[in-house]
Amino acid sequence: MTAADPHVSPAVLVVTRDPALFDDLHSLLRARGRPVVHVTDLTTGYDRARIGLTILDTCDLVGVEEALAQLPRPILALTDDDGRAEALIGAGASDFAVLPCSRAVLSARISAALKLRERVVPALSDSQSSLQTLLANLPGVVYRCANDPEWSMQFISEGCYDLTGYAPDEFISGRVQLSGLVHHEDRDRMREQIQQSLSDRRPFRVTYRLHTASGACKWLWAQGQGVLDANGQPTAIEGVITDLSELRQTKLELEEREILLETLLAVTETAYILCDEHGAVDYANLAAQTWLKLPDSRLVGARFADLLTGLPNELREAVGRGRDSIFTVDHQGGDFEAYHLVMRNVQISGRPHTAYAFKRLTRELARQEVEVWKKVIRLIAHEINNTLAPISSLLHSARLINAAEARDARLDRIIDTISERSKHLGEFLKGYTQFARLPRPRLESTKWRSLIDRLDELVQFKIDAAPEDLNTVNAVDRSQIEQALINLLKNAVEAGGPPEEVTLRLRAHREGDEIQVLDRGPGIPPELLPKVLLPFYSTKRTGTGLGLPLCREIIDAHGGNLRIEAREGGGTAVILWLPRLAAA
């Protein structure tokens, strides 16, 4: 091999086994001041970086087409067959000359090849420089590796340092192996997916975890395909790798927020319905499904207007107005339900939607009504107590005077009567002020069995409860719940039915406990059911009308609810729901 001078123009690689042809080529190239590198075999090593032009004699060489891709460009092919010349041009040769040919023709072909080299090589250099800049600025890695167990790197872009913490030369030299950085739980799966895709001759896409030089674990996404040899076997893999860590973290956060939102929508008592631009339901939460008495599978896709057909006119009119509003739905017996409707137009996935929120205000209005009654009671109690205090003082003075003077039996009776009525009025006010100033519950862990056993000592009733329900523990204010149940059980006994039919039924659930107080009395007329929970309303001639409102206040304070229904088969059912709470 003739060594090339690094300070002169790039050498011309001459590949030929014909000494006479080499002499002619060497003479023509030397006249142009071009150094020459001569080899007789394509497997012979040479310095590719110093080669600017390749002249390839193909007359007695075999398998030249396969070697063209590895030779420095441009390539002038010398052949003795016009048909083969076309194949060589198609395989990558820049020009050709058919042998034998005159020295003048050969000189012209060499001149043309050298001019082509002067145009092509700078362009290739600029292109390679631009490509290197592009690869270095990519937010990921471009690579080529062998299809071996270690995925030995043949090329990897500069982005590998930001991605893994290792420099490109560490991968190329084999000091760092990509397979060794892949998380052990993902390695086999990743290899199987890639090999299956290579076997199917299709691109692969795989997500996996990788350990970086700093010990961090990143989520990566790789896409690539196999590089096939002449036999169609994948000998190498080319592709790109992108860091998914931030995207995956963002996705996880979004999923957590979606779960939180779904949970909130599932437990809220407000009914939420989302409709698309055509009025079809896209989403309905659990409260909406309960309210419309249809499962999610029946709601989604149905037209909202059709679902409203069987509902009260007031509700349909409120929706038809197309704006926020408060409306009431009247029921038989004078009862009513109040709602707050909120409507919003929103964009979801670029499409217009309408969101509806129906919040039931009945309970809130009832609570506000009770608060008004409480204020009235406190005001009346204050004024009466201010009057009772001086009356008590005057009565005491009158007794002293009557004792010191001539005693008059009639005056004693008058004083006793006034004192008795004053005391009765004070006791009467005590019941009202208890309702008006109910303290906040002091929660303590209580087993239902112990609480109900205590009630059994005070009121006669039957127990309908499984042993495991009686052994359930909930956090309640024991004294307040006892007071509420005593009132309800006494009401049941006094309802007029058989005393042995008064029943306390307990059913424990994971979310809370349901207690029913049942009787077989004449029941409450339907038109009176909405009124019996109002303060001062009583169906008893001597009742104060505070028993049931006080019970409802106690249950509300525990976060539960109380309702009264007609019992199937006759009588009344008072149903309490107490959520599962934790002790303070």
Side-chain angles (χ1 to χ4, degrees):
M1 182 185 297
T2 304
D5 186 346
H7 301 291
V8 299
S9 300
V12 177
L13 175 66
V14 177
V15 186
T16 182
R17 295 174 184 173
D18 185 347
L21 178 60
F22 173 71
D23 288 341
D24 285 344
L25 293 172
H26 188 262
S27 174
L28 291 171
L29 291 168
R30 185 173 54 188
R32 290 171 171 78
R34 300 288 180 173
V36 177
V37 175
H38 178 214
V39 296
T40 59
D41 194 324
L42 289 173
T43 62
T44 304
Y46 52 87
D47 188 353
R48 294 169 181 263
R50 299 188 181 186
I51 302 301
L53 171 66
T54 299
I55 301 178
L56 179 63
D57 176 13
T58 68
C59 295
D60 59 349
L61 296 179
V62 179
V64 174
E65 290 88 345
E66 296 179 7
L68 287 178
Q70 305 299 325
L71 292 173
R73 302 296 177 92
I75 299 170
L76 171 61
L78 306 178
T79 181
D80 57 359
D81 183 349
D82 286 344
R84 192 176 191 195
E86 294 179 4
L88 291 171
I89 291 294
S94 306
D95 196 2
F96 72 93
V98 179
L99 297 177
C101 62
S102 66
R103 186 181 177 90
V105 171
L106 195 57
S107 176
R109 286 284 187 265
I110 291 175
S111 296
L114 288 172
K115 289 180 181 178
L116 177 63
R117 187 264 169 201
E118 291 172 357
R119 294 196 305 271
V120 170
V121 170
L124 287 175
S125 178
D126 292 343
S127 177
Q128 185 176 17
S129 176
S130 298
L131 179 60
Q132 290 293 339
T133 301
L134 175 63
L135 293 179
N137 291 326
L138 280 176
V141 168
V142 177
Y143 69 94
R144 179 187 176 112
C145 68
N147 185 29
D148 58 22
E150 290 75 29
W151 294 316
S152 303
M153 283 296 166
Q154 299 170 355
F155 169 80
I156 189 166
S157 63
E158 295 289 337
C160 69
Y161 185 80
D162 290 335
L163 194 68
T164 68
Y166 296 101
D169 63 305
E170 294 182 89
F171 285 100
I172 301 299
S173 66
R175 291 197 301 273
V176 177
Q177 299 286 356
L178 178 64
S179 61
L181 301 181
V182 176
H183 195 287
H184 69 278
E185 294 180 358
D186 300 338
R187 194 176 297 137
D188 291 342
R189 172 185 57 81
M190 176 185 178
R191 190 178 301 280
E192 288 175 6
Q193 286 183 277
I194 291 176
Q195 293 305 318
Q196 185 62 52
S197 296
L198 296 181
S199 176
D200 297 340
R201 303 294 190 268
R202 58 180 173 81
F204 64 82
R205 295 176 180 85
V206 61
T207 302
Y208 61 96
R209 289 166 291 179
L210 180 136
H211 296 290
T212 68
S214 65
C217 185
K218 290 185 176 181
W219 278 95
L220 305 182
W221 179 79
Q223 178 178 2
Q225 61 184 11
V227 179
L228 308 180
D229 61 15
N231 298 319
Q233 296 301 312
T235 59
I237 301 171
E238 293 178 340
V240 295
I241 303 173
T242 305
D243 188 355
L244 286 182
S245 301
E246 291 187 8
L247 182 62
R248 188 175 180 86
Q249 182 61 33
T250 301
K251 181 182 178 182
L252 289 175
E253 291 175 359
L254 287 174
E255 289 176 350
E256 290 175 355
R257 290 182 182 181
E258 287 180 4
I259 292 173
L260 176 60
L261 179 59
E262 285 287 346
T263 303
L264 292 175
L265 289 175
V267 300
T268 182
E269 295 181 358
T270 301
Y272 289 97
I273 298 172
L274 183 67
C275 297
D276 64 16
E277 58 204 299
H278 304 297
V281 176
D282 267 358
Y283 171 82
N285 71 338
L286 184 60
Q289 297 170 36
T290 304
W291 179 49
L292 294 172
K293 298 180 181 178
L294 287 173
D296 186 60
S297 58
R298 294 271 306 278
L299 284 174
V300 174
R303 292 187 71 254
F304 188 42
D306 295 339
L307 297 174
L308 296 177
T309 302
L311 297 179
N313 291 332
E314 297 92 337
L315 193 151
R316 295 200 303 273
E317 292 172 358
V319 173
R321 285 193 287 270
R323 63 177 186 273
D324 297 356
S325 62
I326 294 177
F327 63 94
T328 60
V329 177
D330 295 324
H331 299 295
Q332 291 182 352
D335 195 9
F336 74 94
E337 285 184 307
Y339 293 92
H340 181 203
L341 168 62
V342 176
M343 299 175 59
R344 293 292 182 271
N345 294 322
V346 295
Q347 290 282 332
I348 299 178
S349 300
R351 295 169 50 206
H353 285 67
T354 303
Y356 299 89
F358 296 88
K359 182 178 182 180
R360 186 179 277 109
L361 299 179
T362 312
R363 185 171 179 178
E364 183 62 31
L365 292 174
R367 182 179 290 112
Q368 292 181 10
E369 184 178 11
V370 169
E371 287 301 318
V372 172
W373 281 114
K374 286 182 177 182
K375 290 180 181 178
V376 171
I377 291 171
R378 286 196 292 268
L379 179 62
I380 294 173
H382 176 74
E383 293 300 323
I384 294 178
N385 280 324
N386 285 345
T387 303
L388 284 177
I391 288 176
S392 297
S393 178
L394 289 172
L395 283 173
H396 178 68
S397 299
R399 288 186 187 278
L400 293 176
I401 293 172
N402 190 42
E405 304 290 338
R407 192 175 185 89
D408 189 330
R410 292 174 301 172
L411 184 58
D412 279 339
R413 286 195 301 272
I414 293 172
I415 293 174
D416 289 342
T417 301
I418 295 174
S419 177
E420 180 186 350
R421 298 312 300 167
S422 176
K423 182 178 179 181
H424 175 77
L425 182 58
E427 292 295 327
F428 180 77
L429 278 178
K430 183 178 179 181
Y432 281 87
T433 53
Q434 181 185 19
F435 169 72
R437 300 184 184 277
L438 182 69
R440 294 185 61 180
R442 299 178 60 182
L443 303 180
E444 58 178 316
S445 296
T446 302
K447 184 182 291 187
W448 286 117
R449 183 184 296 276
S450 63
L451 192 150
I452 292 174
D453 286 346
R454 168 66 177 163
L455 297 176
D456 197 35
E457 299 173 2
L458 304 174
V459 188
Q460 180 184 353
F461 62 95
K462 289 193 308 184
I463 299 176
D464 176 6
E468 58 269 23
D469 291 343
L470 288 170
N471 290 324
T472 301
V473 175
N474 202 348
V476 297
D477 187 313
R478 186 184 180 101
S479 63
Q480 288 189 9
I481 296 298
E482 281 183 358
Q483 181 179 2
L485 292 177
I486 289 171
N487 284 347
L488 295 177
L489 289 167
K490 285 184 174 180
N491 283 350
V493 171
E494 296 169 0
E500 63 273 12
E501 289 293 328
V502 174
T503 304
L504 186 148
R505 179 180 294 163
L506 171 65
R507 297 290 184 267
H509 304 277
R510 186 175 62 180
E511 301 83 7
D513 304 311
E514 182 180 270
I515 301 174
Q516 299 182 14
V517 177
L518 311 170
D519 67 59
R520 286 296 184 191
I524 301 174
E527 65 274 11
L528 298 183
L529 278 175
K531 302 178 181 179
V532 294
L533 291 174
L534 295 176
F536 309 125
Y537 183 85
S538 176
T539 58
K540 302 175 185 178
R541 187 170 59 86
T542 59
T544 63
L546 289 178
L548 285 174
L550 179 60
C551 292
R552 185 176 69 174
E553 279 295 290
I554 290 173
I555 302 305
D556 283 350
H558 283 73
N561 59 69
L562 179 151
R563 68 182 191 274
I564 302 176
E565 299 176 355
R567 185 182 181 187
E568 186 176 352
T572 302
V574 181
I575 303 169
L576 315 179
W577 169 258
L578 290 167
R580 188 78 62 216
L581 300 176

